[in-house]
């Protein structure tokens, strides 16, 4: 698991700017969880995204791509290959090009997330 710490740190740095704009629910050595600061219509905060160390990889969850799949249009085949499910990307190592693309996707996701609130 310790070899995944640098991957977690790099992905956490992609998600961290949105933690300061929203609300950080958890920030531990193996999980960074971000949600809306205000309650949604169901009375609970809305999940925005998270970075988590799993058994053999680090997962990057970005909920706006689940609710707005058009955000995935134009995604590189490299980043698509990292997708697990509809809103999760898994990494075992640091890939600067894919992390830059993920950063751009997260920025676009945040814009959609804020516009719908």
């Amino acid at each position: 698991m310790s070899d995944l710490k640098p991957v977690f740190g790099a992905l956490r740095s992609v998600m961290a700017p949105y933690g300061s704009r929203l609300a950080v629910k958890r920030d531990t050595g193996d999980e960074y969880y971000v949600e809306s600061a205000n309650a949604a219509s169901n009375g609970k905060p809305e999940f925005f995204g998270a970075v988590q160390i799993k058994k053999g990889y680090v997962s990057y969850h970005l909920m706006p791509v689940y609710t707005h799949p058009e955000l995935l249009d134009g995604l590189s085949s490299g980043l698509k290959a990292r997708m697990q499910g509809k809103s999760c990307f898994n990494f075992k190592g640091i890939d600067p090009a894919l992390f830059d693309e993920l950063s751009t996707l997260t920025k676009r996701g945040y814009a959609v997330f804020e516009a719908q609130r």
Side-chain angles (χ1 to χ4, degrees), residues 3 16 33-34 39 41 51 75-78 83 89-90 92-93 102-103 108 111 115:
D3 59 332
Y33 185 108
V34 179
S41 60
V51 181
L75 207 64
S76 74
S77 59
M83 286 191 78
F89 301 85
N90 295 332
K92 292 182 179 184
L102 193 57
S103 178
R108 291 176 46 227

Side-chain angles (χ1 to χ4, degrees), residues 46-88:
E46 282 183 80
F47 174 61
F48 174 74
V51 181
Q52 299 171 309
I53 295 179
K54 301 293 188 174
K55 189 170 183 174
Y57 58 91
V58 178
S59 64
Y60 186 95
H61 300 271
L62 186 60
M63 195 60 176
V65 301
Y66 182 83
T67 57
H68 297 278
E70 68 274 8
L71 289 168
L72 299 173
D73 293 348
L75 207 64
S76 74
S77 59
L79 195 53
K80 282 183 182 178
R82 302 290 184 171
M83 286 191 78
Q84 178 67 39
K86 294 182 180 182
S87 64
C88 182

Side-chain angles (χ1 to χ4, degrees), residues 5 8 12 24-33 51:
K5 292 285 186 185
F8 173 81
R12 184 190 179 285
V24 177
K25 182 175 181 177
R26 282 187 293 281
D27 187 3
T28 66
D30 60 359
E31 183 177 25
Y32 186 73
Y33 185 108
V51 181

